[in-house]
Amino acid sequence: MARLVIVSNRVPDPAERGQRAGGLVVSLAEALAPGSLWFGWSGKTAAHTSRAAKQVEAGGLSYATIDLGETDYRAFYLGFSNGSLWPLFHMMPGNAVFDRGDYAIYREVNQAFAAALLPLLRPDDLIWIHDYQLLGVAAALRVAGVTNRIGFFLHIPFPAPALFELLPPATALLEAMLTHDVIGFQTTQDRGHFLGALSSRLGLAASDGVVIHRNRKINCVVTPVGIDADSFTVMATNIARRIDARRMIESLAGRALMLGVDRLDYTKGLPERFDAYRRFLQDYPEHRRQISFLQIAAPSREEVERYRTLREELNHKTGSINGAYSDFDWVPLRYMTRTAARSTVAGLYRIARIGLVTPLRDGMNLVAKEYVAAQNPADPGVLILSRFAGAAAGMPEAILVNPYDIDAVAEAIAAALVMPQEERQARHAALLERVQDVSAAAYCRAFTAWLAGTGG
Ligand code: F6P
């Protein structure tokens, strides 16, 4: 069997695998057969970007990482990846900045990734590259003569063509993407946007997701990311019995818990969510003291200015909501800007009567799927989900909302709070089946089959 080589910007710390496993590790677990290689950034900066990777073996896998030079980190990671591509791909051009110098370094860093990976490659390796930080790695590998099959999966949305075209190097990025053999998207809408951009910028037509470019065939496929629902259910059930969870339940004093869990990112719609909660408190005084909203927001990309202003904005809104509505014995909003352990969060999901997942735009959003998997089927909570998360395409039994419409989100909170048990059970049963079907394992199987040339 061919070896699988995963290439991603962040590489999990082998020492932490399993305990603090992040999203990508969980999603890829099924594909990582012993002997696979995982290549990417170490998460560390140095005086210069490394020319050669450092390799360690752990748990049957090889991990190879490079450090980024400080200047490269700023221009590649903070600059073009997270200052230009991230906001634009999430269709929020107002948050995007463009700098030609940053883009030049983005290309150079992608070339440095390719150069350090090259000596580690074997002729029949299947190479699977992940996400927007690495759009140009395959093109650099091709220039170096690599003929292996290379796949790319975009974890974030692909924007509508009219927005994609705002990127000065739009054409160059499409050309670079077309050096892969397979390009995977989370939803049919994302793939449609990409094919639309190919048509408007390069005049290319696709048939059944297949594009022919420079005598090469590229499969554009939809393979949504999922979770391992059964193991998440077990973790949530076990943790919900432990002491932290009992403390949480005691502190609620019989009130319903509404829970939000996100990275502190402007795409997650947190200011709008807080405004909607305030609107709910204002418009539904009869429900006021029946609910407690806990928002966990893990700090992220704090060196990007827009993330700092977001943090200040949320601090301000929290103070304002609690100042206006708190009582001697009740605080309406608990807001935590710390990273909580995955297992703790699993237990909290199970306790929560409402899961509030309202990003303004999101590639998939695995919180929505984890929330469903964590529920007690006999007495499940209600998922309120943004229509603009990729997950919404496959979760029609959630209460779907437009996160910009704060009145509608306030209404949804009130509806969730009083939803009868039979309706909660019926919605949850349907959602759980979908989350179990569109699993992490199914994602890996579908994408690797396309990569190996046996998909479809
Ligand atoms: O899914 C989008 C993504 O950028 C991943 O690539 C990344 O691992 C995660 O969000 C967290 O972002 P960052 O790596 O910038 O901390």
Side-chain angles (χ1 to χ4, degrees), residues 9-10 24 41 77 82 86 130-133 155-156 263 300-301:
N9 185 45
R10 294 219 187 245
L24 201 53
W41 176 37
Y77 175 77
N82 289 315
W86 176 267
H130 291 263
D131 235 355
Y132 63 100
Q133 301 96 342
H155 288 260
I156 67 173
R263 266 189 317 107
S300 180
R301 304 176 190 164

Side-chain angles (χ1 to χ4, degrees), residues 78 101 188 194 217 276 298:
L78 300 176
T188 47
F194 176 70
K217 179 177 156 193

Side-chain angles (χ1 to χ4, degrees), residues 258 354-358 382-386 398-399 401 409 412-413 416:
M258 180 163 77
I354 302 173
L356 192 57
V357 184
T358 55
V382 179
L383 175 65
I384 300 178
L385 177 61
S386 164
I399 301 188
V401 291
V409 177
I413 295 171

Side-chain angles (χ1 to χ4, degrees), residues 107 111 114 118 136-147 150 176 179:
R107 288 189 55 197
Q111 285 158 2
L118 200 55
V137 173
L141 289 172
R142 296 294 186 216
V143 168
V146 172
T147 54
I150 310 180
T179 60

